[in-house]
Amino acid sequence: MSSIVSGTDSSRLQQIAEDLGAFRDSDRTGIYLLFACILSLLLLAVPITLFAGHGNTRQVTITDAVWVGTTLLGAGDYEVNWDGTGLVQVSFLKGNRMIVTARAMAVVAAEPHDRAAVKFQALGENSKALEGIAWKDVSLRFDTIHPF
């Protein structure tokens, strides 16, 4: 095979070959390959961690003021966050502000149902504690610690 290359093209090809000469060095080949592998893993790991499930988030409406642990939670709409199942730490957020955290037992429903419910435990005539929250597919049962 023969190729005809003009003088300017030849010098340009020679310049590119010199620039890429470092990549052909047998001592550096392993380093570049290692660097390329590490960079590839990092580029794959970032999206995986961004889209991985970091826990559960549900919405709940509390109609009356209730005790959650030792904190009185006012009536309103809250975002409820926790990670996993079993004994978990649950956070109640209103907007971006965390109101209270409490321990609860998170259980996945064996047979999903259509209703969500909030269960209270009466502490006195005008006082109640949050005992549990059930959504369609999961429920939380709280430790009821009497605040007084």
Side-chain angles (χ1 to χ4, degrees):
M1 253 174 99
S2 66
S3 66
I4 300 174
V5 179
S6 68
T8 56
D9 288 340
S10 175
S11 63
R12 181 164 163 79
L13 288 174
Q14 186 177 4
Q15 180 64 38
I16 291 171
E18 288 174 5
D19 290 343
L20 296 175
F23 289 101
R24 287 192 266 154
D25 186 3
S26 61
D27 295 335
R28 295 184 186 175
T29 302
I31 293 171
Y32 291 116
L33 182 61
L34 177 64
F35 176 72
C37 288
I38 291 172
L39 183 62
S40 298
L41 288 173
L42 287 174
L43 290 174
L44 287 173
V46 170
I48 290 171
T49 57
L50 288 175
F51 294 113
H54 290 292
N56 297 300
T57 300
R58 300 287 196 284
Q59 303 297 322
V60 68
T61 300
I62 305 292
T63 55
D64 297 319
V66 295
W67 290 97
V68 177
T70 58
T71 303
L72 186 62
L73 192 64
D77 296 323
Y78 293 92
E79 182 176 298
V80 183
N81 296 327
W82 72 95
D83 289 329
T85 58
L87 187 60
V88 296
Q89 190 74 16
V90 179
S91 300
F92 287 82
L93 292 96
K94 193 163 198 154
N96 290 332
R97 194 172 133 235
M98 184 169 52
I99 306 299
V100 65
T101 61
R103 290 186 331 160
M105 185 63 70
V107 179
V108 175
E111 294 181 16
H113 47 85
D114 293 336
R115 293 192 163 178
V118 179
K119 187 174 181 183
F120 303 104
Q121 177 184 7
L123 299 177
E125 193 172 311
N126 295 324
S127 183
K128 38 183 149 170
L130 182 61
E131 189 173 328
I133 305 172
W135 289 278
K136 293 179 180 183
D137 57 345
V138 67
S139 64
L140 297 173
R141 183 167 174 85
F142 293 89
D143 291 337
T144 52
I145 300 171
H146 298 290
F148 25 77

